[in-house]
Amino acid sequence: MPYCRSSCYYCGCNRIITRNRERGRAYLDRLLVEIALQAELFDRSRPVNQLHFGGGTPTYYTPDELGEIFAALDAGFGMQRGPERDYGIEIDPRTADPKALRALVDLGINRISLGVQDFDAKVQQAVNRIQSVEETERLVVEARSVGIRSINFDLIYGLPHQHVESFDRTLDTVLTLRPDRIAAYSYAHLPELFKSQAVMDAATMPSADTKMALLELTIERLTAAGYVHIGMDHFALPEDELARAQIDGSLQRNFQGYTTHGGCDLVAFGMSSIGQVGEIYAQNEKHEIPYLHAIDERRLPIMRGLVTDADDRLRREVIGQIMCFGRLDYAAFGARHGIDFKDYFAASLARLEQPERDGLVELGANALTITPAGAMLLRIIAIAFDAYLTGDKQAAAAPAKFSRVV
Ligand SMILES: C[S@@+](CC[C@H](N)C(=O)[O-])C[C@H]1O[C@@H](n2cnc3c(N)ncnc32)[C@H](O)[C@@H]1O
Ligand code: SF4
């Protein structure tokens, strides 16, 4: 749901800035058609365990409009009402009315994710996102009172003017509000790709060393306050399902992030969304006009896809295990897949020799184990197993651009 009312300069999401409600409405109408088109391809016996409204800003739409989407999804796929469902929505606290939360709960939403980024006034001004603690707090209080089961905060480290003392104060406020989950993202600076980022003065952005210090501070403060570091950029309270899934071994990672619903098909709707059904990935048109056109011609708006092969799936599982559990037992993995792990992944393991010297990973005789320092830089370890990024395998699509891992 790509629309937002104003531009946060750092933003790397596929978003469209507009206050034109008709433009949003035109897109919504096509989204309803896409849901019906895709529904024809599925039987209705599968439970919809998880639903995620992402953005842009889904709450650009009113609860009534979101209700139209729920009705279309219900007609096409059959929505759940039971407690096992995980239905979430991303909310921009600056534009969301706390009173609307009750309507979202009535639709079936039981998780929310709030964009926070940083509470520091100077940082907020530099990124064009002024958001008071009070408006964020009002939503948190209301969400708890209407029975939202889980609240996530998004934070970003690496933004202009951030430094350890100021981010420490932001973390104080975050911890007072005590969300169930926290995502602390490393700021991805790609101004050639995301034009609004070029508006910010690069000289005001923290150095790589300060960025590492901000990450260390975040991990230190959140774990001291009782949060579990799930891995990468994600933290959760110990009673949260993510933390419990890490302990019982059921945690998985898909490109939505960490999830307790691994192994499900992921059906995606809307501009730029990526679905994963069976062994196939498919991504929708990233731009508005081609997306709208495809739907008007009653075509699925898919722009590219990938049929995974056995090697892709092996690598996906290795990367998933490293990201979820920080440890991989060679013999157990090899036995599950009928391979000699060290032999099959010899080139990947060789790429980890430098990270091992840097203290990020231990390459034991029987297992690979991520160190506490490595847990902050899991991408470096994961990339060693990614045949597309290392150049061992050529993706059909044009080479993508990637941000630095720190
Ligand atoms: C779709 S937005 C969240 C919902 C809503 N639009 C809002 O801003 O409150 C997704 C999240 O991506 C993160 N994000 C956006 N641009 C980023 C960037 N360049 N680097 C790192 N994280 C970024 C922010 O934390 C943001 O909250
Ligand atoms: S951070 Fe959220 S509100 Fe800001 S531009 Fe990006 S998607 Fe829109």
Side-chain angles (χ1 to χ4, degrees), residues 1 44 50 63 95 104 110 152 186 266 268 317 331 356 372 396 398 405:
M1 313 200 74
R44 281 193 34 145
Q50 190 176 23
T95 56
L104 296 183
N110 55 13
N152 174 74
S186 166
L266 194 70
E317 191 175 324
E356 185 178 36
V405 289

PDB file of all heavy atoms in Angstrom, residues 1 44 50 63 95 104 110 152 186 266 268 317 331 356 372 396 398 405:
ATOM      1  N   MET A   1       0.880  -1.164   0.000  1.00  0.00           N
ATOM      2  CA  MET A   1       0.000   0.000   0.000  1.00  0.00           C
ATOM      3  C   MET A   1       0.920   1.216   0.000  1.00  0.00           C
ATOM      4  O   MET A   1       1.411   1.628   1.040  1.00  0.00           O
ATOM      5  CB  MET A   1      -0.900  -0.080   1.225  1.00  0.00           C
ATOM      6  CG  MET A   1      -1.484  -1.493   1.333  1.00  0.00           C
ATOM      7  SD  MET A   1      -2.946  -1.595   2.324  1.00  0.00           S
ATOM      8  CE  MET A   1      -4.109  -0.857   1.230  1.00  0.00           C
ATOM      9  N   ARG A  44      -9.973 -22.893  -1.414  1.00  0.00           N
ATOM     10  CA  ARG A  44     -10.249 -22.093  -0.217  1.00  0.00           C
ATOM     11  C   ARG A  44     -10.078 -22.888   1.068  1.00  0.00           C
ATOM     12  O   ARG A  44     -10.517 -22.475   2.131  1.00  0.00           O
ATOM     13  CB  ARG A  44     -11.663 -21.520  -0.294  1.00  0.00           C
ATOM     14  CG  ARG A  44     -11.739 -20.302  -1.212  1.00  0.00           C
ATOM     15  CD  ARG A  44     -13.038 -19.587  -1.031  1.00  0.00           C
ATOM     16  NE  ARG A  44     -13.501 -19.669   0.369  1.00  0.00           N
ATOM     17  CZ  ARG A  44     -14.155 -18.717   0.999  1.00  0.00           C
ATOM     18  NH1 ARG A  44     -14.443 -17.617   0.366  1.00  0.00           N
ATOM     19  NH2 ARG A  44     -14.552 -18.879   2.238  1.00  0.00           N
ATOM     20  N   GLN A  50      -1.502 -15.916   8.433  1.00  0.00           N
ATOM     21  CA  GLN A  50      -0.778 -14.663   8.635  1.00  0.00           C
ATOM     22  C   GLN A  50      -1.163 -13.674   7.543  1.00  0.00           C
ATOM     23  O   GLN A  50      -1.323 -14.072   6.386  1.00  0.00           O
ATOM     24  CB  GLN A  50       0.724 -14.948   8.547  1.00  0.00           C
ATOM     25  CG  GLN A  50       1.582 -13.790   8.977  1.00  0.00           C
ATOM     26  CD  GLN A  50       3.076 -14.151   8.966  1.00  0.00           C
ATOM     27  OE1 GLN A  50       3.491 -15.061   8.281  1.00  0.00           O
ATOM     28  NE2 GLN A  50       3.838 -13.408   9.729  1.00  0.00           N
ATOM     29  N   PRO A  63     -10.394   2.909   7.892  1.00  0.00           N
ATOM     30  CA  PRO A  63     -10.771   1.542   8.263  1.00  0.00           C
ATOM     31  C   PRO A  63     -11.844   0.974   7.332  1.00  0.00           C
ATOM     32  O   PRO A  63     -11.829  -0.224   7.034  1.00  0.00           O
ATOM     33  CB  PRO A  63     -11.296   1.692   9.699  1.00  0.00           C
ATOM     34  CG  PRO A  63     -10.560   2.874  10.228  1.00  0.00           C
ATOM     35  CD  PRO A  63     -10.405   3.814   9.068  1.00  0.00           C
ATOM     36  N   THR A  95      -0.086   9.967  11.385  1.00  0.00           N
ATOM     37  CA  THR A  95      -1.316  10.143  10.605  1.00  0.00           C
ATOM     38  C   THR A  95      -2.427   9.200  11.056  1.00  0.00           C
ATOM     39  O   THR A  95      -3.520   9.241  10.488  1.00  0.00           O
ATOM     40  CB  THR A  95      -1.045   9.914   9.102  1.00  0.00           C
ATOM     41  OG1 THR A  95      -0.478   8.610   8.952  1.00  0.00           O
ATOM     42  CG2 THR A  95      -0.090  10.950   8.551  1.00  0.00           C
ATOM     43  N   LEU A 104      -9.963  -1.428  13.382  1.00  0.00           N
ATOM     44  CA  LEU A 104      -9.009  -2.395  12.807  1.00  0.00           C
ATOM     45  C   LEU A 104      -9.102  -3.734  13.536  1.00  0.00           C
ATOM     46  O   LEU A 104      -9.033  -4.797  12.929  1.00  0.00           O
ATOM     47  CB  LEU A 104      -7.578  -1.846  12.881  1.00  0.00           C
ATOM     48  CG  LEU A 104      -7.282  -0.589  12.070  1.00  0.00           C
ATOM     49  CD1 LEU A 104      -5.803  -0.194  12.182  1.00  0.00           C
ATOM     50  CD2 LEU A 104      -7.632  -0.798  10.596  1.00  0.00           C
ATOM     51  N   ASN A 110      -4.623  -8.065  14.779  1.00  0.00           N
ATOM     52  CA  ASN A 110      -4.208  -8.240  16.175  1.00  0.00           C
ATOM     53  C   ASN A 110      -2.741  -7.880  16.433  1.00  0.00           C
ATOM     54  O   ASN A 110      -2.235  -8.063  17.542  1.00  0.00           O
ATOM     55  CB  ASN A 110      -4.531  -9.650  16.692  1.00  0.00           C
ATOM     56  CG  ASN A 110      -3.937 -10.742  15.818  1.00  0.00           C
ATOM     57  OD1 ASN A 110      -3.096 -10.478  14.962  1.00  0.00           O
ATOM     58  ND2 ASN A 110      -4.383 -11.971  16.028  1.00  0.00           N
ATOM     59  N   ASN A 152       4.959  -3.587  17.579  1.00  0.00           N
ATOM     60  CA  ASN A 152       6.361  -3.478  17.170  1.00  0.00           C
ATOM     61  C   ASN A 152       6.709  -2.009  16.931  1.00  0.00           C
ATOM     62  O   ASN A 152       5.867  -1.236  16.471  1.00  0.00           O
ATOM     63  CB  ASN A 152       6.575  -4.258  15.865  1.00  0.00           C
ATOM     64  CG  ASN A 152       7.985  -4.072  15.310  1.00  0.00           C
ATOM     65  OD1 ASN A 152       8.946  -4.623  15.828  1.00  0.00           O
ATOM     66  ND2 ASN A 152       8.109  -3.268  14.260  1.00  0.00           N
ATOM     67  N   SER A 186      19.524  -0.829  10.240  1.00  0.00           N
ATOM     68  CA  SER A 186      20.679  -0.048   9.830  1.00  0.00           C
ATOM     69  C   SER A 186      20.237   0.832   8.653  1.00  0.00           C
ATOM     70  O   SER A 186      19.648   0.332   7.696  1.00  0.00           O
ATOM     71  CB  SER A 186      21.771  -1.027   9.383  1.00  0.00           C
ATOM     72  OG  SER A 186      22.772  -0.350   8.677  1.00  0.00           O
ATOM     73  N   LEU A 266       3.168 -17.821   0.526  1.00  0.00           N
ATOM     74  CA  LEU A 266       3.027 -16.396   0.796  1.00  0.00           C
ATOM     75  C   LEU A 266       2.416 -15.777  -0.456  1.00  0.00           C
ATOM     76  O   LEU A 266       3.070 -15.717  -1.492  1.00  0.00           O
ATOM     77  CB  LEU A 266       4.413 -15.829   1.053  1.00  0.00           C
ATOM     78  CG  LEU A 266       4.556 -14.470   1.653  1.00  0.00           C
ATOM     79  CD1 LEU A 266       4.123 -14.498   3.103  1.00  0.00           C
ATOM     80  CD2 LEU A 266       6.013 -14.039   1.591  1.00  0.00           C
ATOM     81  N   ALA A 268       1.070 -12.633  -2.400  1.00  0.00           N
ATOM     82  CA  ALA A 268       1.312 -11.197  -2.263  1.00  0.00           C
ATOM     83  C   ALA A 268       0.467 -10.414  -3.258  1.00  0.00           C
ATOM     84  O   ALA A 268       0.276 -10.843  -4.396  1.00  0.00           O
ATOM     85  CB  ALA A 268       2.793 -10.919  -2.518  1.00  0.00           C
ATOM     86  N   GLU A 317      17.992 -22.674   3.097  1.00  0.00           N
ATOM     87  CA  GLU A 317      17.875 -23.268   4.435  1.00  0.00           C
ATOM     88  C   GLU A 317      19.108 -22.971   5.296  1.00  0.00           C
ATOM     89  O   GLU A 317      18.985 -22.680   6.487  1.00  0.00           O
ATOM     90  CB  GLU A 317      17.642 -24.784   4.317  1.00  0.00           C
ATOM     91  CG  GLU A 317      17.256 -25.381   5.665  1.00  0.00           C
ATOM     92  CD  GLU A 317      16.896 -26.855   5.583  1.00  0.00           C
ATOM     93  OE1 GLU A 317      16.298 -27.287   4.575  1.00  0.00           O
ATOM     94  OE2 GLU A 317      17.217 -27.564   6.562  1.00  0.00           O
ATOM     95  N   ALA A 331      26.806 -32.210  10.254  1.00  0.00           N
ATOM     96  CA  ALA A 331      26.357 -33.592  10.052  1.00  0.00           C
ATOM     97  C   ALA A 331      24.829 -33.654   9.986  1.00  0.00           C
ATOM     98  O   ALA A 331      24.254 -34.332   9.130  1.00  0.00           O
ATOM     99  CB  ALA A 331      26.883 -34.477  11.182  1.00  0.00           C
ATOM    100  N   GLU A 356      36.071 -15.254  10.247  1.00  0.00           N
ATOM    101  CA  GLU A 356      36.501 -16.002  11.437  1.00  0.00           C
ATOM    102  C   GLU A 356      37.666 -15.288  12.114  1.00  0.00           C
ATOM    103  O   GLU A 356      37.685 -15.119  13.332  1.00  0.00           O
ATOM    104  CB  GLU A 356      36.895 -17.443  11.067  1.00  0.00           C
ATOM    105  CG  GLU A 356      37.218 -18.252  12.326  1.00  0.00           C
ATOM    106  CD  GLU A 356      37.565 -19.703  12.050  1.00  0.00           C
ATOM    107  OE1 GLU A 356      38.209 -19.989  11.026  1.00  0.00           O
ATOM    108  OE2 GLU A 356      37.186 -20.554  12.890  1.00  0.00           O
ATOM    109  N   PRO A 372      28.906 -13.576  19.464  1.00  0.00           N
ATOM    110  CA  PRO A 372      28.060 -12.411  19.774  1.00  0.00           C
ATOM    111  C   PRO A 372      28.338 -11.234  18.835  1.00  0.00           C
ATOM    112  O   PRO A 372      27.417 -10.547  18.403  1.00  0.00           O
ATOM    113  CB  PRO A 372      28.430 -12.079  21.225  1.00  0.00           C
ATOM    114  CG  PRO A 372      28.906 -13.384  21.793  1.00  0.00           C
ATOM    115  CD  PRO A 372      29.570 -14.113  20.667  1.00  0.00           C
ATOM    116  N   ALA A 396      18.563 -14.118 -13.284  1.00  0.00           N
ATOM    117  CA  ALA A 396      18.027 -13.774 -14.603  1.00  0.00           C
ATOM    118  C   ALA A 396      17.852 -12.264 -14.722  1.00  0.00           C
ATOM    119  O   ALA A 396      18.031 -11.681 -15.778  1.00  0.00           O
ATOM    120  CB  ALA A 396      16.707 -14.480 -14.823  1.00  0.00           C
ATOM    121  N   ALA A 398      18.488  -8.102 -13.885  1.00  0.00           N
ATOM    122  CA  ALA A 398      19.666  -7.249 -13.859  1.00  0.00           C
ATOM    123  C   ALA A 398      20.265  -7.264 -12.456  1.00  0.00           C
ATOM    124  O   ALA A 398      19.546  -7.462 -11.486  1.00  0.00           O
ATOM    125  CB  ALA A 398      19.254  -5.823 -14.225  1.00  0.00           C
ATOM    126  N   VAL A 405      26.668  -3.439   4.590  1.00  0.00           N
ATOM    127  CA  VAL A 405      26.036  -4.202   5.671  1.00  0.00           C
ATOM    128  C   VAL A 405      26.095  -3.474   7.006  1.00  0.00           C
ATOM    129  O   VAL A 405      25.342  -3.784   7.917  1.00  0.00           O
ATOM    130  CB  VAL A 405      26.649  -5.618   5.815  1.00  0.00           C
ATOM    131  CG1 VAL A 405      26.231  -6.481   4.656  1.00  0.00           C
ATOM    132  CG2 VAL A 405      28.143  -5.550   5.941  1.00  0.00           C
TER     133      VAL A 405
END
